[in-house]
């Protein structure tokens, strides 16, 4: 019977009420516990909104079923303090948190000596090879003998910032960039990526600890059927698929076919029982020249640069691509001074020389993309996109339509005359 109605985050359209049954949720919890070890003596840190299916199932019902204690973070800005104080053994997160920590690490390395950077990179590479060796996907390497020293000098210090007691960290809600996963796993964090939707209660797949491929979103939960359709869409069927959308049979029929297969809207491939998400069926920008661009992939590549805190690529039905971005305040201050600009003067963000320099910087970040996928205009702001101002979802995904509306004047300016 109906247990709850959870509204979708509405990234591209009007939110819909997802009807989840008691069986949907309990099946999902029990299937997840067949993949992961969660114990009564564990302590889980929770900081995502409980109105979201990911945190509700994995960060609330799951620990409730295992007798695990839950500590609640005061706020995202205080997350670093709370991690150090609470020292959790479990954490459920979205990629944006790992991206922020990664960017702080990169910004810190930029101010240190070349020797410190080489030591950090050696620790990551050695840790990554040790991970592959433990997974049975790589051989023994002589640098493993250096690990006790590298752990003491590098890895343990960074793990201490996560509380120093983390034995399992899960990432979901959005794609986790592989370079970021590699850094944290290399430094010793047992980081697992999973995948699912509100409509699937929510977990469909997750990486087992002993078969963890960070480039994938893992293997199907036991008891669920997954397959890829002719147009590469991932389909799912099983006990955790929703009852339907509240008071919206048309929308329900559009995503659950006559055979009971739920259409995820994500493109995927399945290899060695692992699922690899390759894109969204709808989240593709079709430029005026007919070229197709995956904005999320480009945004992840740009956001690996510590200067760019949040990024949205624009270009649907446009002659070229542009970007709206929130700059990291600390990085902006040093970058602006380096260009002879006053970082406290908001007019500096519209300086033509600055915008040209940033477009060139973006081109470097997008070097692996085709030539037509280059950015020719940029709008910068220092005001973050938050849940409160309605520009991102509870799992920090962009509300593209809302951002387009918010920056409509700036977007028109970037395309003026074209």
């Amino acid at each position: 019977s109906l247990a709850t109605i959870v509204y979708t985050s509405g990234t591209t359209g009007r939110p819909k009420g997802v009807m989840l049954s008691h069986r949907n949720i309990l099946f999902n919890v029990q299937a997840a516990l067949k993949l992961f070890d969660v114990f009564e003596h564990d302590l889980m840190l929770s900081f995502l909104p409980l109105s979201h299916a990911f945190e509700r199932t994995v960060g609330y019902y799951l620990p409730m079923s295992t007798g695990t204690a839950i500590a609640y973070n005061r706020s995202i800005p205080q997350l670093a303090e709370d991690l150090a104080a609470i020292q959790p053994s479990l954490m459920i997160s979205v990629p944006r948190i790992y991206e922020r920590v990664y960017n702080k690490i990169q910004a810190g390395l930029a101010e240190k000596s070349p020797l410190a950077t080489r030591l950090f990179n050696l620790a990551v590479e050695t840790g990554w090879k040790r991970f592959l060796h433990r997974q049975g996907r790589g051989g023994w390497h002589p640098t493993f003998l250096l690990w006790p020293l590298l752990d003491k000098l590098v890895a343990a210090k960074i793990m201490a910032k996560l509380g120093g007691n983390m034995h399992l960290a899960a990432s979901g809600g959005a794609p986790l960039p592989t370079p970021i996963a590699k850094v944290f796993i290399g430094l010793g964090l047992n980081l697992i990526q999973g995948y699912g939707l509100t409509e699937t209660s929510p977990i469909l797949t997750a990486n087992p600890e002993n078969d963890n491929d960070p480039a994938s979103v893992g293997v199907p939960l036991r008891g669920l059927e997954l397959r890829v359709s002719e147009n590469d869409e991932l389909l799912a069927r099983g006990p955790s698929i929703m009852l339907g959308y509240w008071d919206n049979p048309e929308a329900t029929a559009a995503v659950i076919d006559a055979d009971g297969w739920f259409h995820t809207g994500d493109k995927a491939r399945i290899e060695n029982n692992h699922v690899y998400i390759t894109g969204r069926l709808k989240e593709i920008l079709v430029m005026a020249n007919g070229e197709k661009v995956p904005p999320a992939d480009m945004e992840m590549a740009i956001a690996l640069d510590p200067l760019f805190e949040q990024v949205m690529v624009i270009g649907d039905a446009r002659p070229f691509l542009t970007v709206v971005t929130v700059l990291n305040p600390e990085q902006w201050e040093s970058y602006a001074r380096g260009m002879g600009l006053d970082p406290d003067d908001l007019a500096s963000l519209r300086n033509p020389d600055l915008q040209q320099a940033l477009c060139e910087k973006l081109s470097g970040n997008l070097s692996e993309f085709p030539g037509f996928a280059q950015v020719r205009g940029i709008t910068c702001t220092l005001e973050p996109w938050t849940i409160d101002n309605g520009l991102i979802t509870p799992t920090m995904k962009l509300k593209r339509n809302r951002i387009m509306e918010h920056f409509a004047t700036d977007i028109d300016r970037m395309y003026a005359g074209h």
Side-chain angles (χ1 to χ4, degrees):
S1 61
L2 180 64
T4 185
I5 300 174
V6 183
Y7 276 80
T8 59
S9 51
T11 53
T12 55
R14 189 178 174 188
K16 296 185 285 288
V18 175
M19 297 188 292
L20 299 180
S21 70
H22 295 272
R23 184 189 187 212
N24 287 156
I25 296 166
L26 291 173
F27 168 84
N28 211 247
V29 167
Q30 291 161 5
L33 287 172
K34 290 172 183 172
L35 277 181
F36 309 117
D37 290 328
V38 179
F39 302 106
E40 189 173 346
H41 61 255
D42 275 316
L43 175 59
M44 178 180 285
L45 179 65
S46 173
F47 57 87
L48 299 175
L50 283 164
S51 56
H52 193 277
F54 182 35
E55 186 67 30
R56 179 99 69 92
T57 295
V58 187
Y60 185 63
Y61 296 136
L62 187 149
M64 189 188 296
S65 72
T66 57
T68 301
I70 309 169
Y72 288 96
N73 162 238
R74 292 169 293 170
S75 69
I76 295 295
Q78 293 170 298
L79 181 58
E81 289 179 18
D82 288 355
L83 278 165
I86 293 165
Q87 299 180 336
S89 56
L90 303 170
M91 184 172 77
I92 309 300
S93 182
V94 290
R96 189 74 199 117
I97 300 300
Y98 299 110
E99 288 172 6
R100 282 180 174 172
V101 177
Y102 172 87
N103 285 339
K104 282 188 177 179
I105 292 171
Q106 296 301 316
L109 287 174
E111 297 176 359
K112 292 185 177 179
S113 67
L115 177 61
T117 301
R118 284 199 297 271
L119 194 64
F120 175 83
N121 291 336
L122 179 61
V124 170
E125 286 301 322
T126 302
W128 179 251
K129 287 175 183 174
R130 290 177 78 246
F131 164 75
L132 293 178
H133 180 58
R134 290 195 304 273
Q135 293 278 316
R137 301 199 299 268
W140 186 88
H141 196 274
T143 55
F144 293 180
L145 298 173
L146 294 173
W147 181 250
L149 180 63
L150 293 171
D151 182 31
K152 183 178 180 180
L153 294 176
V154 180
K157 292 179 180 178
I158 293 175
M159 289 302 100
K161 293 183 184 300
L162 298 177
N165 194 37
M166 193 88 63
H167 81 74
L168 179 64
S171 178
L176 177 67
T178 304
I180 292 178
K182 182 177 178 180
V183 165
F184 284 104
I185 290 172
L187 293 172
L189 183 65
N190 184 21
L191 179 56
I192 297 295
Q193 183 173 202
Y195 163 82
L197 302 92
T198 305
E199 291 89 340
T200 60
S201 305
I203 313 170
L204 283 177
T205 67
N207 271 294
E209 294 181 54
N210 61 355
D211 189 14
N212 182 10
D213 179 1
S216 82
V217 292
V219 303
L221 291 194
R222 198 179 304 175
L224 293 179
E225 296 177 80
L226 265 65
R227 69 179 179 89
V228 176
S229 69
E230 292 180 0
N231 65 342
D232 295 333
E233 183 179 12
L234 184 65
L235 309 182
R237 186 166 65 179
S240 63
I241 305 302
M242 66 172 180
L243 299 175
Y245 294 118
W246 173 256
D247 200 24
N248 198 338
E250 298 83 5
T252 303
V255 294
I256 301 178
D257 64 28
D259 295 321
W261 289 101
F262 172 73
H263 292 241
T264 65
D266 286 309
K267 298 176 72 173
R269 71 178 195 276
I270 301 176
E271 292 177 8
N272 301 320
N273 200 36
H274 279 67
V275 177
Y276 298 81
I277 303 298
T278 57
R280 285 285 296 169
L281 286 177
K282 294 180 180 178
E283 274 187 20
I284 295 290
L285 300 180
V286 182
M287 298 170 64
N289 59 5
E291 298 287 5
K292 295 180 175 62
V293 175
D297 293 349
M298 296 183 68
E299 288 154 5
M300 279 196 295
I302 294 168
L304 290 176
D305 189 315
L307 178 60
F308 304 107
E309 186 77 16
Q310 293 169 297
V311 184
M312 190 172 100
V313 173
I314 295 161
D316 202 39
R318 304 279 192 171
F320 53 86
L321 299 179
T322 59
V323 159
V324 179
T325 180
V326 178
L327 301 181
N328 178 284
E330 295 171 7
Q331 294 290 310
W332 160 244
E333 186 170 346
S334 59
Y335 191 86
R337 294 195 191 287
M339 290 199 66
L341 299 171
D342 179 3
D344 297 322
D345 183 0
L346 293 180
S348 297
L349 294 168
R350 296 188 294 275
N351 181 281
D353 292 337
L354 169 80
Q355 293 183 346
Q356 183 177 345
L358 289 178
C359 282
E360 291 172 1
K361 188 175 177 63
L362 290 178
S363 295
N365 298 339
L366 299 172
S367 58
E368 295 184 4
F369 288 82
F372 59 82
Q374 295 303 312
V375 174
R376 290 174 52 188
I378 189 166
T379 292
C380 304
T381 180
L382 297 175
E383 182 184 352
W385 304 336
T386 65
I387 299 168
D388 291 339
N389 63 26
L391 298 181
I392 61 172
T393 73
T395 52
M396 303 185 190
K397 292 196 282 282
L398 305 181
K399 288 191 173 182
R400 296 182 182 275
N401 293 349
R402 295 291 298 274
I403 294 172
M404 291 279 286
E405 292 170 9
H406 190 79
F407 290 96
T409 303
D410 295 291
I411 293 169
D412 290 341
R413 175 184 51 77
M414 290 191 289
Y415 289 101
H418 295 280

